[in-house]
Amino acid sequence: MPHTPGTGFAVAEDGTRNPDNDVLRTQDVTVTRGPATILRRLSVSIRADETFAVTGPPGSGKSALIAVLSGVLAPDAGQVWFNSRPLHTLGERARAQLRRTHFGMMDGRARLMPELTVLENVALPLLLEPSARDTAFAAARHWMGRLDVLDQADRRPHELPTALLRRAAVARALVARPDVVFADEPALGLEASELDHLMRILVTASRSHGIALVLATDDPKVAAHADRHLELRDGRPAPARADA
């Protein structure tokens, strides 16, 4: 992508531009579903190496923002940037490729493929790329070891309790050492002690490898691990509280 000399901005073909120091950025993003407006001219910026929490009640737009930032969902209006590359000008196939190579994804349901072993599931992001199988499985074993699920490698996902399944999902999200990990409601179904352990591992691993971590949650215990927060109400930033 061409750069405008001396400005620190990347310029897309449509003339829009993005600061180079933000790993993710949206400008005036709007998302609608039928008559409902899910996100309303929302502008956010996320830096590399930080943990950023999007909070708010159900229906506030948290998951929609995660979908837009990760390229799962194209906005109806506005701009989305990843490392000075405009996502809002990319087609669906190009956005899918970007997710495979630069993003790690997990949600509260830890959707692993039932026909694969846990080890194969964790290695899957690397197995989808033209890399050696031995390298992919070595990386998967490394992350499974860090998350204390390596002893579950040969089991199937349905054989694991919720806590271990969630750890395996975290290992899968981190295995390719992406630029950004998106975690949508990672607290779902976890006891407080297991949640705290999982979040500490996830935040520590992302920071040590220079990975931006974007959380969508309505659980204050998850949001407490973030460096910065954005609270949404009806698809826009919530008004500042008087006692804040």
Side-chain angles (χ1 to χ4, degrees), residues 145-204:
R146 290 192 61 172
L147 284 140
D148 299 324
V149 287
L150 187 55
D151 57 345
Q152 310 295 320
D154 295 328
R155 300 181 72 181
R156 304 286 176 178
H158 72 272
E159 300 177 300
L160 270 61
T162 298
L164 294 184
L165 194 63
R166 198 70 51 78
R167 293 190 196 185
V170 171
R172 183 182 61 180
L174 291 166
V175 71
R177 297 193 178 183
D179 294 281
V180 186
V181 166
F182 296 95
D184 192 355
E185 299 293 359
L188 195 64
L190 292 181
E191 298 292 336
S193 59
E194 177 59 34
L195 169 61
D196 185 67
H197 179 65
L198 186 77
M199 289 304 303
R200 288 180 184 276
I201 293 175
L202 181 55
V203 171
T204 299

Side-chain angles (χ1 to χ4, degrees), residues 69-88:
L69 288 168
S70 62
V72 172
L73 179 66
D76 296 290
Q79 304 163 19
V80 187
W81 298 82
F82 164 67
N83 277 343
S84 300
R85 181 179 183 182
L87 270 66
H88 55 280

Side-chain angles (χ1 to χ4, degrees), residues 81-109:
W81 298 82
F82 164 67
N83 277 343
S84 300
R85 181 179 183 182
L87 270 66
H88 55 280
T89 63
L90 298 180
E92 185 174 348
R93 181 175 297 181
R95 297 198 312 272
Q97 176 64 23
L98 193 68
R99 286 194 300 277
R100 286 195 296 270
T101 54
H102 292 284
F103 297 159
M105 310 289 294
M106 63 170 292
D107 63 21
R109 301 191 184 279

